[in-house]
Amino acid sequence: MSESPDHPQIAAPPSLTDLGEPLVRVEMRSQPRLLAGTRELVGAIAKRLGFSELEAGQIGLALDEALANVIRHGYKGRDDGLIMVSLWVSEGDGSTVGAGLHLCVEDQCPQVDPSKIRSRELSEVRPGGLGVHLIQEIMDASVFEKREQSGMRLRMSKFIPHNAGTMTGSVRHAG
């Protein structure tokens, strides 16, 4: 997880209960051709919140890596699996939830032990296997967990730099 003076490293993103209903929810099939549109949607919202072009692109990349991992590892390349992406924007309450963008990726894949989800060793020079590493480096907090009935969930958050301000009202009412 990245750490900055504005946002110290934290263990986990806010709970879904703390966040309430998402502002955006996308249901999609496990088809790689759908990744770009979802990534662009989240990147555009991130820019409206005050993230730089670079940061918005990185947030989109983290989401893209998460979705690609669900397709490749969870659904084993099947193109008919269900993936749900939810997005919240928080103003920050000064205690449990910081101002920022919060994403949740859920699937109906076979469950795995979340402690087994990790990046490969960076010293191994080969293509692939860096998705989890990128997610953890880009996002301020991320956690993999089993869903109650079936499937897996990835919760991740990127906090808004103090000097960027928040624009949640603009996001909610943008036309």
Side-chain angles (χ1 to χ4, degrees), residues 47-173:
K47 284 189 269 187
R48 293 292 303 265
L49 290 172
F51 289 102
S52 70
E53 185 84 27
L54 176 62
E55 292 167 321
Q58 289 174 335
I59 293 167
L61 174 61
L63 176 62
D64 195 78
E65 291 292 337
L67 295 171
N69 283 346
V70 169
I71 294 168
R72 181 179 302 117
H73 302 294
Y75 286 119
K76 308 285 188 219
R78 281 187 18 234
D79 66 359
D80 62 343
L82 180 63
I83 303 173
M84 293 83 56
V85 177
S86 300
L87 179 146
W88 294 261
V89 174
S90 62
E91 300 273 353
D93 64 11
S95 60
T96 59
V97 179
L101 177 71
H102 312 280
L103 296 166
C104 181
V105 176
E106 297 177 285
D107 61 52
Q108 297 174 335
C109 298
Q111 292 184 331
V112 297
D113 179 353
S115 69
K116 304 286 186 209
I117 302 172
R118 58 182 181 268
S119 179
R120 68 169 167 81
E121 290 295 322
L122 296 180
S123 60
E124 292 179 37
V125 180
R126 64 175 172 83
L130 293 176
V132 173
H133 173 76
L134 288 171
I135 291 166
Q136 292 172 337
E137 284 298 311
I138 292 168
M139 303 304 284
D140 293 317
S142 63
V143 64
F144 292 92
E145 55 197 14
K146 292 180 181 180
R147 294 177 63 213
E148 286 182 30
Q149 299 293 326
S150 66
M152 298 297 293
R153 174 184 300 123
L154 167 61
R155 292 183 294 121
M156 50 189 173
S157 296
K158 185 72 173 177
F159 298 103
I160 298 171
H162 291 293
N163 60 356
T166 60
M167 297 173 54
T168 53
S170 297
V171 171
R172 285 193 177 111
H173 304 294

Side-chain angles (χ1 to χ4, degrees), residues 36-49:
T38 308
R39 179 180 64 241
E40 290 169 12
L41 170 68
V42 169
I45 292 171
K47 284 189 269 187
R48 293 292 303 265
L49 290 172

Side-chain angles (χ1 to χ4, degrees), residues 13-32:
S15 74
L16 300 182
T17 305
D18 288 342
L19 293 170
E21 286 297 312
L23 288 176
V24 176
R25 182 173 285 147
V26 175
E27 288 190 3
M28 58 188 279
R29 293 294 163 191
S30 54
Q31 298 178 13

